[in-house]
């Protein structure tokens, strides 16, 4: 058995997030087109004589829970329970994905810990088993394991991988504070009260744009049904979106439930120009560039 295992796992941007009405169980049916991008957390797992514990460093690490509510801890517990062992591991998260930013950082850590524990313990779990545990942990966790691009249906956990015909260049602006995903969905429900909310379906022009690697066509097709709710709760995001558009981004949108805003650029040079303008705009806390698609959870060392 290895002394430690490190897994790298990517952030995501939702290039389409179509949201249906609330279901009786409180969840919403989604048509969620995920694209993994090259901002990564690394999760390192080592045996721990003191039982399960979680540590974290990196940007905004102080906002990451270090108890059993952390998805990395829950992933270790779930895999241990499946294979009749105790989750006596130290999980260390080297954080680089924005925290509470709508880029699935917590979900990434859950997928990373699951793959790392599987490798550490030699459980030999199948891909289907791991994806099943991911789906139990949260709607975005399966995609963090898979990476690339995928259409998520149901509450986002049922994945169909998608072809991507090129590299897409993104700029991400981090907001001054976080947004709670449940709060954004509650606001979505409030804003939609009394209206007929259509069944969520994937956009064929968007899927075609991904397959062709066409940034202009993708820019014309992106959408996020949660954006009005995020802007309702965090109106200052409108200024960030406007600054990125003015700087030459092909399109601008809130990433997932926010509050990170995402800007699609034509090429790396354009992305840097947009990033520079956003950094000096006074409308955001930090700016990062990344491209996608990026691979899913990957074992770096074991």
């Amino acid at each position: 058995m290895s002394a430690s295992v490190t897994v790298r796992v990517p952030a995501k941007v939702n290039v389409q997030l179509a949201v249906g009405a609330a279901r009786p169980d409180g969840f919403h049916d989604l048509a969620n087109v995920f694209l993994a991008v090259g901002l990564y957390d690394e999760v390192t797992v080592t045996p721990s004589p003191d039982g399960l514990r979680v540590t974290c460093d990196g940007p905004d690490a102080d906002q990451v829970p270090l108890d059993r509510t952390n998805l990395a801890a829950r992933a270790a517990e779930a895999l241990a329970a499946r294979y009749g062992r105790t989750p006596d591991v130290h999980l260390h998260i080297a954080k680089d994905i924005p925290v509470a930013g709508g880029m699935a950082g917590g979900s990434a850590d859950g997928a990373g810990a699951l793959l790392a524990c599987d490798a550490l313990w030699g459980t030999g779990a199948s891909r289907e088993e791991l994806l099943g545990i991911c789906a139990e942990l949260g709607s975005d966790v399966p995609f963090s394991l898979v990476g690339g691009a995928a259409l998520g249906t149901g509450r986002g956990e049922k994945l169909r991988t998608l072809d991507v015909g090129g590299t897409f260049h993104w700029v991400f602006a981090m907001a001054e504070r976080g947004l709670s995903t449940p709060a954004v969905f509650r606001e979505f429900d409030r804003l939609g009260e009394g209206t007929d909310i259509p069944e969520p379906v994937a956009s064929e022009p968007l899927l075609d744009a991904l397959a062709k690697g066409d940034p202009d066509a993708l820019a014309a097709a992106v959408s996020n049904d949660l954006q009005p709710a995020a802007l309702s709760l965090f109106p200052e995001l409108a200024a960030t979106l406007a600054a990125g558009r003015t700087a030459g981004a092909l399109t601008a949108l809130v990433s997932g439930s926010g509050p990170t805003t995402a800007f699609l650029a034509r090429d790396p040079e354009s992305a840097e120009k947009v990033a520079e303008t956003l950094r000096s705009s006074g409308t955001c806390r930090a700016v990062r560039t990344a491209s996608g698609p990026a691979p899913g959870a990957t074992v770096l060392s074991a």
Side-chain angles (χ1 to χ4, degrees):
M1 188 168 70
S2 302
S4 72
V5 175
T6 298
V7 169
R8 186 180 73 173
V9 63
K12 60 83 179 167
V13 61
N14 303 92
V15 290
Q16 182 188 4
L17 181 49
V19 182
R23 307 187 318 203
D25 63 3
F27 287 105
H28 298 70
D29 283 324
L30 305 174
N32 196 351
V33 181
F34 298 100
L35 182 70
V37 295
L39 297 176
Y40 301 97
D41 284 359
E42 292 185 4
V43 182
T44 299
V45 181
T46 53
S48 168
D50 305 317
L52 179 63
R53 65 190 187 98
V54 181
T55 56
C56 182
D57 63 20
D60 301 322
D62 59 323
Q63 298 178 40
V64 175
L66 303 180
D67 58 14
R68 300 285 173 108
T69 65
N70 189 297
L71 278 174
R74 290 175 53 199
E77 290 179 326
L79 187 67
R82 177 78 56 105
Y83 284 91
R85 59 181 305 141
T86 53
D88 296 336
V89 287
H90 170 205
L91 301 162
H92 179 72
I93 301 166
K95 176 63 69 177
D96 197 39
I97 301 173
V99 177
M103 298 186 75
S107 297
D109 298 340
L114 184 66
L115 187 61
C117 287
D118 173 61
L120 182 75
W121 296 333
T123 56
S126 69
R127 189 76 162 173
E128 289 69 28
E129 278 183 277
L130 294 177
L131 284 169
I133 296 172
C134 285
E136 292 166 14
L137 294 170
S139 301
D140 287 350
V141 184
F143 179 71
S144 297
L145 188 72
V146 171
L151 169 62
T153 54
R155 54 184 170 83
E157 85 285 8
K158 300 170 185 173
L159 296 179
R160 172 166 70 89
T161 57
L162 299 173
D163 292 329
V164 184
T167 300
F168 293 96
H169 301 280
W170 294 88
V171 181
F172 298 99
M174 290 31 150
E176 292 290 346
R177 59 182 172 87
L179 264 179
S180 155
T181 296
V184 174
F185 272 99
R186 284 195 297 272
E187 184 68 357
F188 171 85
D189 292 337
R190 187 187 73 79
L191 293 174
E193 206 168 356
T195 65
D196 185 25
I197 296 174
E199 288 294 312
V201 294
S203 160
E204 288 302 328
L206 182 135
L207 300 184
D208 188 55
L210 281 175
K212 290 178 177 173
D214 184 338
D216 292 290
L218 184 64
V222 298
S223 64
N224 179 3
D225 287 355
L226 291 182
Q227 183 161 310
L231 288 169
S232 175
L233 297 174
F234 199 153
E236 301 91 330
L237 295 178
T240 316
L241 292 169
R245 290 191 192 98
T246 302
L250 298 176
T251 193
L253 73 161
V254 173
S255 179
S257 58
T260 298
T261 45
F263 305 86
L264 180 61
R266 189 177 307 283
D267 50 41
E269 295 76 23
S270 302
E272 282 304 327
K273 288 177 185 173
V274 172
E276 280 305 312
T277 301
L278 283 166
R279 286 188 185 102
S280 59
S281 70
T283 66
C284 54
R285 176 173 57 86
V287 178
R288 303 288 298 279
T289 59
S291 59
T298 304
V299 176
L300 296 183
S301 63

